[in-house]
Amino acid sequence: MSRGTSVLFDVPGPRTRLRHRIYDVAALVLLVVGLVGLYFFLDAKGQLTYEDWEPFVTPEFMVALGEGWITTIQMALTAVLLALVFGVVLGVGKLSDHRWVRLPSALVVEFFRAVPLLLLIVFIFLTYGVGGGIGSYWSVVIGLMLYNGSVLAEIFRAGINALPPGQAEAAYAVGMRKTQVMTTILLPQAVKIMIPAIISQCVVALKDTSLGFYVLAPGLTAVGRSIYTEFRNQFQTVLVLALMYIVTNFILTLIATWVQKRYVGERDQLQVGAAGLSDQDTGLADAGTRHGQV
Amino acid sequence: MEDIVSNFDLVLSGFWITLQLAFWSALGSLVIGALLVAMRVGPVRVLALFATSYVNIVRNTPLLVIFILVFAGFPALDLLVGTPFLVKGIVTMTIYTSPFVCEALRAGVNSVQLGQAEAARAIGMTFGQTMTQVVLPQAVRASVPPLTSVIIAMTKNTSIAAVFGLAEATARMRGFTNNNADDRILIFLVFALGYIVIVEAISGASWLLERRWRTVR
């Protein structure tokens, strides 16, 4: 953040700078008091005892958590890979010249983006998952695929639309066919600017794998549940789970930022609005900062 | 088929809880999110650091984990004991959604061009005038589309309250499906339609707001 040239404030003078310095110190004192207070509060509630934290330094449980973590990543990756295929098909469908392809594609995309993912997962699990069905793992993965695929379809469409129209026009002018224009001219360029948005979608998918909790799917939260039902250390388990998710997502975000810088340059990451807002994606991109996905 | 028709009041009561959860969580998130963005873009560095850390930590945590924290972790700390589930749900949704609101508002602030504020200062407007007459009106307008996205996503996220025993729409769907194995698809479509109506209503409201606030540039 460049200080001084802000839309909100004028360049501060010496007196204002002094005042800000005083606020800084006051806020720091408040923060430290808060943290110390939190420490004493947790201590008074007996949350800092070794027994409560023991599972997380016990090798067996660390291995179990690691395995849960790998399952979670596996679910997210499988879902995103399937979603990519689903998304490209729907995205191309939405850009089709034929109304009978365009409308159903748009309807499918709208539907899966408007329905809560958990509702979808519960439906898939109870209808196709239980008994001799596909099981909870694949219920979650299929649910994630349908939802993320629909979001990716929008990202994909935004990526194609973000290309200069001259690209397609030039390709048509040299006599290429529609399929050729899409596969040799538009797709390769669009994919390049889509990659960071796809990685960001991995963060969303990774967070959403936790919904498998409701249908007893394996993964990090499931391991967490078995630990806290055994040791009654809910608070500590939540902190460890959160930390594992945060670190993983942070690494993914770093990769997305790096890829963005390396392959896309200065332009903002592609953004699409929530369901019902599909025509406003440019408005979001104009807003200038990455606000991430909820 | 008969079950969902004769017990349609259960469907409605489920969506009523969903709506209550969504409304109060949206209100709470807007207030906390506005506070966060004020800290984040303000001149006090310690507060900016605090708000930035909060945003980055919560945004990378799954909502379900925050639900476990509030519904299973807090009782261990003697916090929120005996609080109604609806209130706990609202607290959870607010903790999770406020960082996204903060980022949407910040996107709005960042979209105001520097020249606007400079011009306002150059003609001698005070800080208060610059804010209320020039910067904030533009920032708020620009925040409407991202904020709507956040609120819609939040409304869909209220479904996760079903996992923790709140009888909102998603929990109701599970109940209906368990009792009527033959009508699963119909039941799913009824509940999906309910959510779609809510989502479209929010986006319609946002569209009206944007049209009303549109300015000539």
Side-chain angles (χ1 to χ4, degrees):
Chain A
M1 190 154 87
S2 59
R3 299 205 158 265
T5 48
S6 155
V7 75
L8 297 168
F9 315 102
D10 219 336
V11 182
R15 267 208 303 207
T16 313
R17 273 208 299 271
L18 182 69
R19 202 154 43 86
H20 288 168
R21 198 68 48 80
I22 294 171
Y23 292 155
D24 262 340
V25 173
L28 191 66
V29 169
L30 215 65
L31 203 65
V32 170
V33 168
L35 286 178
V36 172
L38 187 67
Y39 174 83
F40 280 114
F41 173 73
L42 291 179
D43 197 31
K45 297 289 175 194
Q47 295 299 323
L48 301 175
T49 54
Y50 176 69
E51 292 83 72
D52 281 341
W53 294 94
E54 193 179 1
F56 307 112
V57 289
T58 311
E60 299 152 49
F61 292 104
M62 286 164 80
V63 169
L65 276 172
E67 279 168 2
W69 183 70
I70 288 170
T71 312
T72 292
I73 290 186
Q74 227 174 16
M75 277 167 117
L77 274 184
T78 318
V80 169
L81 287 178
L82 290 171
L84 270 175
V85 179
F86 190 61
V88 167
V89 171
L90 285 176
V92 174
K94 276 192 81 169
L95 289 164
S96 167
D97 288 337
H98 308 289
R99 190 199 286 259
W100 62 271
V101 179
R102 205 167 56 227
L103 283 184
S105 310
L107 203 69
V108 169
V109 169
E110 254 341 72
F111 180 81
F112 286 119
R113 287 174 55 201
V115 171
L117 182 54
L118 188 65
L119 193 83
L120 196 60
I121 290 177
V122 170
F123 167 70
I124 297 171
F125 178 67
L126 292 180
T127 311
Y128 307 103
V130 283
I134 53 174
S136 56
Y137 179 94
W138 283 100
S139 301
V140 176
V141 171
I142 303 281
L144 283 170
M145 175 196 92
L146 293 173
Y147 171 67
N148 289 301
S150 303
V151 176
L152 286 175
E154 281 300 293
I155 292 177
F156 178 79
R157 199 180 58 100
I160 297 270
N161 285 340
L163 297 175
Q167 295 288 330
E169 285 162 13
Y172 283 122
V174 296
M176 286 190 178
R177 288 172 172 279
K178 236 171 14 185
T179 320
Q180 281 180 303
V181 174
M182 184 55 88
T183 52
T184 62
I185 306 292
L186 299 180
L187 257 176
Q189 298 185 67
V191 164
K192 206 177 87 173
I193 57 174
M194 278 167 63
I195 289 172
I198 293 170
I199 300 175
S200 298
Q201 201 58 36
C202 290
V203 172
V204 178
L206 194 82
K207 282 163 65 183
D208 284 342
T209 52
S210 63
L211 298 182
F213 194 81
Y214 198 33
V215 293
L216 307 174
L220 204 44
T221 38
V223 177
R225 174 167 47 196
S226 51
I227 289 181
Y228 76 63
T229 27
E230 189 176 339
F231 293 90
R232 308 245 126 256
N233 58 347
Q234 289 89 342
F235 181 69
Q236 291 76 3
T237 309
V238 167
L239 289 194
V240 171
L241 288 186
L243 189 72
M244 291 178 79
Y245 276 108
I246 291 166
V247 169
T248 315
N249 286 330
F250 199 68
I251 294 170
L252 279 176
T253 311
L254 282 183
I255 297 174
T257 316
W258 180 80
V259 172
Q260 174 84 10
K261 278 215 186 93
R262 178 81 175 69
Y263 293 102
V264 189
E266 284 303 302
R267 62 171 295 151
D268 288 316
Q269 191 172 320
L270 286 175
Q271 300 256 327
V272 291
L277 286 175
S278 38
D279 292 318
Q280 296 175 350
D281 33 3
T282 46
L284 284 173
D286 287 347
T289 41
R290 284 171 219 172
H291 59 85
Q293 302 233 8
V294 185
Chain B
M1 184 72 194
E2 298 142 40
D3 191 38
I4 197 160
V5 172
S6 56
N7 290 312
F8 202 70
D9 55 323
L10 285 182
V11 178
L12 291 180
S13 78
F15 275 109
W16 173 236
I17 296 182
T18 295
L19 282 175
Q20 277 177 298
L21 195 56
F23 176 79
W24 293 111
S25 310
L27 209 65
S29 311
L30 283 173
V31 172
I32 308 282
L35 280 177
L36 281 174
V37 79
M39 288 192 205
R40 208 173 165 180
V41 301
V44 185
R45 265 168 298 177
V46 177
L47 292 181
L49 193 71
F50 171 76
T52 310
S53 322
Y54 179 79
V55 167
N56 284 331
I57 288 172
V58 175
R59 269 205 315 180
N60 285 317
T61 312
L63 176 55
L64 193 105
V65 171
I66 300 177
F67 261 104
I68 301 178
L69 174 71
V70 174
F71 281 76
F74 277 10
L77 306 175
D78 297 331
L79 287 172
L80 297 183
V81 178
T83 316
F85 275 20
L86 183 66
V87 178
K88 282 192 187 180
I90 294 167
V91 169
T92 315
M93 296 301 299
T94 304
I95 293 176
Y96 181 76
T97 315
S98 47
F100 293 95
V101 170
C102 168
E103 290 303 271
L105 292 174
R106 201 164 68 95
V109 170
N110 285 344
S111 75
V112 181
Q113 284 171 13
L114 190 56
Q116 297 282 330
E118 284 174 344
R121 287 174 205 135
I123 59 170
M125 283 184 162
T126 62
F127 175 76
Q129 283 173 322
T130 311
M131 279 293 126
T132 56
Q133 316 263 332
V134 179
V135 175
L136 289 183
Q138 298 185 55
V140 170
R141 279 183 179 84
S143 315
V144 171
L147 261 186
T148 311
S149 277
V150 169
I151 299 293
I152 288 175
M154 187 211 69
T155 307
K156 287 160 56 192
N157 280 337
T158 56
S159 59
I160 300 178
V163 182
F164 296 88
L166 218 66
E168 49 69 78
T170 301
R172 287 280 182 224
M173 184 193 87
R174 191 170 193 165
F176 271 112
T177 309
N178 279 338
N179 298 337
N180 309 275
D182 298 337
D183 292 331
R184 289 162 182 152
I185 294 179
L186 177 84
I187 293 169
F188 171 64
L189 287 178
V190 166
F191 280 92
L193 191 70
Y195 278 105
I196 291 172
V197 167
I198 297 175
V199 165
E200 294 300 329
I202 298 172
S203 87
S206 142
W207 181 77
L208 283 179
L209 205 61
E210 260 195 291
R211 202 180 58 162
R212 207 188 146 107
W213 282 352
R214 188 176 295 155
T215 50
V216 182
R217 295 212 185 184

